[in-house]
Every structure is written in structure tokens, then in C-alpha cells.
Amino acid sequence: MPGSHLPLMEEGMARWPFGPPNAGIALDLAGAPPSLDELRALVEERWKALPRLTQTLVAPGGARTGLAWWTGRHRWARRDGHDLAQQIDSADLTLRDAVRQWFHTPFPADRPPWSLHLLRGATEGEFSLLFRMHHSLLDGRSLTTLLRALFDDGGPLDGAASLAVPGPRRRTVGPGPTGGGPPGLLTTGRAVPLPHRGPREPAYTVVRLRADVLRAARSAVSVGAAGASRPATTNEVFLATVSGVLRACLSAADAGSASDRGSASGGGDRDPEPRQVWLSVPVDERPDDCGEFLGNAFANVRVPAPVTLADPAARLAACTGLLTTVTRPRRTAEKLVEGTLAAVPGATLALAGGKIFAPAYAPAACSYVHLREQGQTLAGRPLRHLTIVPMVPPADTATFALGGCTKGHTLSVATNSGSEDAGLLAEAFLDELTLLAEGAR
């Protein structure tokens, strides 16, 4: 609610230590871009009833020392009558230019922390529409709700529905196919060394996936009993492919370590049994009757990356069913723990941040956002691609973000270890996806 303190997830993002917690989604559309006046009129018509888009983020007052440091919390303040047109502009930039220029720049404190930009397309005959936001304001599901409303078959969003906070019931990930359950909150695993081929700095790259390769990869395994089997989902292929990338990184690091040990000790040393590698995956917690809620209603869950399996199809089989969700009431213990941690956010992040942001906690995050509807157009311009721009990830980790629509999928890779690493990880993803697809043919 406006004026209230941020819940724990949003407070954590407001205190993100690796750069401004900015994220976004870009739509690539064919044709000449609409005029700014046309876009502003469309936004005013479709988004005018949404209180969330008029809120500003207010930082805790006072010095960040002593008791204020432990208990200070951000809050939302609503600016009634705010003109949404002020948040919309155009720039002669590509998406990559905009990321370098804007995503490391904090939003002004006196305006709602979001903006909509008309950008130059990556190819001739296209343009991009980029929604940029402070992640404490909205999550990926909120963004797809907003963007769907702008399409030609959309309509004005309902203000009351946008405020319908998911309450006692939440959609959560089930126990998983092995029944082992999720890891403990502070359980760590094995870190995965990134290539580290260039300077350590935030970086972002984008590649487009071939539809035929992704389709073949989904057919690499059949899920379910005979007679009722299905191909793997795109999300399961995504997790398996990222697991292949991490396996390759581990193999390269282990080969280097073995070479060093061989020259120093004759090769007689043995590595200890490797620990589990975890992938961090955001899961939408909205039950079906809260689908239009705007805000943050997701939980980061961790699932095992099958990096010990050499066969790509075996890795895909291990990833099937990992994100099967169920809707259930929130447990009393869950509410109690969250409320306790949110009451002292400074202490919570100080005590837990060193562990939950460490590469051994989750060396990679995997986020998938998609628009399934056929034939989407905006002011008559057809949608071609959807591209995600994630937050700058924790040091020595990577974020893989898959954006999809009926025309195809786009992979974004963000890392803190430089543009060369981001490019190498994206190339490795394409290679692993091709191996999976070739095994299905």
C-alpha cells in the first residue's frame, strides 16, 4: 500500500549492493515507430487508473548509523495527479546503448522510478520500446501485464485489480520430482568460476535463439508416462542448457587446477566430492485470482543444476518438473519469519547478505518472461521479439534471462565480470542448446 514500508523482498532490492536495482523489458516491433504523442495518449488511456505507477520511493531518514541503520526502511509515497506522460521519451539509441547509459544510473528521487523509452531498433525496419524500472516497484509478471495492455487487443487496466495483493494463498514450487525439497535458506553449494577474460565490470549482451533449434531441443526427452508424454517445456530446456554452461565452466576450471597440481605435486591430489550447484529462479506467487496485481509477488527458489551429468539429454531429464507449482495457504511460520526479518532489514542483510550473494549460494540466476498470445501488434506494428534486461547480478555470478513471444526467443546475459565474459557465456549457451537439439534428431 502507498505510504507503507516495503516488504522484505522489495526492501532487499532497494538496498541492492551491486549497482542501482534497475531492470526492464524491451519489445522489438516492426515498422516505423509511433510518435511520442501517440504513445503518451495510449499509455494515458491504458494505465491511467494504476496507483502503483504514481509512487515515489522514499529512503529511510536520518544517519545510517546506530539504531536507524538496523531498523530504517524504505517506503512508498503516492503522487496523486502525476502526469504519466512525463515518464515517456525517445532516444536515438539501441537497447545496448541504453543499458550502458541508463541501467547503472539511479532514478531521480522525486519521480516514480520507471520510464518508457522509444529506441532505435537493432535492425533496419524495427524499433524498440523499453520499459525501465526500479525492481522494488514491479516484477516481471507486472511488466507483462502492463505491456499487454498497450497492444491493440488490450484495454485499460483495472486499478482495484492492480492493488489486489496476494494474501493467504500463494503459488509455490512443489517438492520436485525427487521429493527432496528445496535447500535450507542459508545452505550453500559449489561456486562456479566464470571465464574472467576481461576487466571486472557490469556487462550485458543479447543473442537471438533459432526457433528450429529450440524446438528440437524440447524434443530431446519425453516427459510423462507412455501414451501421455509431452516434450520438455521451454523453461526446462532453459535450465538444462544453463546447467550445461556451468558444467563447461567447471570443467575448464578443473582442467586448469589439475594442470597446476600436476606440475606441483605430480598429479596425485584428488578433489573432494563436489557439492551441489544451485540455480536461483524467480517464481510468480500470484494465485489465479490475483493475476493483475502490480508490484512484486515472486519468490526466488533454488533448484539443483545437474552439472555432474555429461549427457545433455540426461541433464534435461533431470530438470523436468523442477518448477511444478502448487497453490497453497501461506504457513504461519513463513509469515512469522518474513515479518521478523523485515522488521530489521539492515541487520538481516548484514548477517545474511554475505552468504546469499555469494557465488556458492547460486552461481547463476535464470529468469524466463514470455508473451504467449499470437499476432500481437502495437498501433499496428507487429511484435518481433521480447528482450529482458536483468539487474546487475552479484559479483562472480551471472544472470541468464530468456524473453519469449510467438515469433521467437531472445537470451540476455548479465554479469559483473566484464563484456567478454558475458559474450562467452552467451556463446556457450548457444553451443549447449545446439548439442541438446542435435541429440534429439
Side-chain angles (χ1 to χ4, degrees):
M1 292 292 293
S4 63
H5 288 130
L6 272 59
L8 181 61
M9 177 68 76
E10 294 178 8
E11 182 68 35
M13 288 186 289
R15 295 167 175 261
W16 194 247
F18 306 103
N22 300 340
I25 288 181
L27 303 179
D28 295 329
L29 301 114
S35 68
L36 271 181
D37 287 343
E38 186 179 1
L39 181 59
R40 285 167 175 163
L42 182 62
V43 166
E44 175 61 28
E45 176 198 349
R46 305 290 174 84
W47 296 354
K48 64 182 177 182
L50 305 177
R52 189 78 175 181
L53 298 185
T54 66
Q55 295 180 153
T56 59
L57 185 61
V58 180
R64 306 301 292 137
T65 57
L67 184 62
W69 184 86
W70 294 89
T71 61
R73 296 170 66 180
H74 292 73
R75 62 182 177 86
W76 293 114
R78 196 159 82 192
R79 294 184 61 185
D80 293 324
H82 178 73
D83 184 4
L84 298 184
Q86 297 180 30
Q87 310 291 119
I88 304 167
D89 63 21
S90 63
D92 187 24
L93 299 170
T94 65
L95 175 61
R96 296 190 191 198
D97 295 334
V99 170
R100 284 192 295 268
Q101 182 170 323
W102 293 331
F103 277 84
H104 310 305
T105 304
F107 283 95
D110 59 344
R111 295 178 62 180
W114 66 272
S115 52
L116 189 65
H117 310 280
L118 272 174
L119 302 177
R120 198 161 24 95
T123 60
E124 191 70 26
E126 286 188 348
F127 68 95
S128 295
L129 187 64
L130 170 64
F131 190 105
R132 184 172 72 110
M133 65 178 186
H134 188 296
H135 210 328
S136 291
L137 183 73
L138 300 166
D139 59 12
R141 175 69 180 273
S142 300
L143 276 188
T144 57
T145 297
L146 289 171
L147 294 172
R148 279 189 178 97
L150 296 182
F151 289 130
D152 292 339
D153 60 353
L157 293 174
D158 180 74
S162 74
L163 296 173
V165 181
R169 293 178 300 112
R170 296 287 178 91
R171 179 182 287 114
T172 60
V173 172
T178 63
L185 179 63
L186 298 181
T187 301
T188 57
R190 185 179 183 186
V192 176
L194 299 181
H196 293 314
R197 296 288 181 85
R200 304 269 185 114
E201 60 187 10
Y204 170 76
T205 195
V206 176
V207 293
R208 291 180 177 175
L209 309 187
R210 283 177 48 186
D212 60 324
V213 174
L214 181 57
R215 190 163 48 248
R218 291 186 58 197
S219 301
V221 301
S222 293
V223 182
S229 63
R230 62 165 176 84
T233 67
T234 299
N235 214 358
E236 290 165 346
V237 168
F238 181 35
L239 297 181
T241 306
V242 172
S243 298
V245 173
L246 298 184
R247 174 182 168 83
C249 290
L250 286 170
S251 296
D254 288 346
S257 297
S259 175
D260 291 342
R261 287 195 306 270
S263 61
S265 60
D269 295 343
R270 291 181 58 85
D271 287 331
E273 187 69 21
R275 292 176 292 166
Q276 179 64 63
V277 172
W278 299 105
L279 298 175
S280 177
V281 184
V283 174
D284 180 28
E285 291 193 307
R286 294 165 176 80
D288 292 339
D289 57 353
C290 291
E292 292 188 15
F293 167 72
L294 299 182
N296 283 280
F298 74 96
N300 282 320
V301 301
R302 288 188 295 158
V303 298
V307 296
T308 60
L309 300 177
D311 179 36
R315 290 197 293 270
L316 178 55
C319 288
T320 59
L322 286 180
L323 296 179
T324 301
T325 59
V326 296
T327 299
R328 61 166 176 79
R330 291 186 71 204
R331 299 186 180 99
T332 301
E334 292 172 329
K335 292 186 281 188
L336 179 61
V337 169
E338 183 174 331
T340 301
L341 296 178
V344 284
T348 297
L349 290 176
L351 294 173
K355 178 162 284 193
I356 65 176
F357 295 141
Y361 192 79
C366 298
S367 181
Y368 179 31
V369 175
H370 53 94
L371 296 173
R372 297 185 184 278
E373 295 84 355
Q374 293 277 352
Q376 292 282 29
T377 59
L378 190 150
R381 285 81 164 175
L383 175 65
R384 293 296 185 224
H385 294 94
L386 181 154
T387 303
I388 305 172
V389 185
M391 293 195 301
V392 175
D396 296 319
T397 73
T399 296
F400 297 81
L402 190 64
C405 65
T406 57
K407 293 295 184 180
H409 286 75
T410 300
L411 176 76
S412 305
V413 179
T415 179
N416 244 316
S417 61
S419 58
E420 190 170 354
D421 270 17
L424 288 170
L425 293 171
E427 290 174 9
F429 184 97
L430 296 178
D431 291 342
E432 293 292 334
L433 185 65
T434 299
L435 287 175
L436 190 56
E438 289 174 347
R441 295 190 176 111

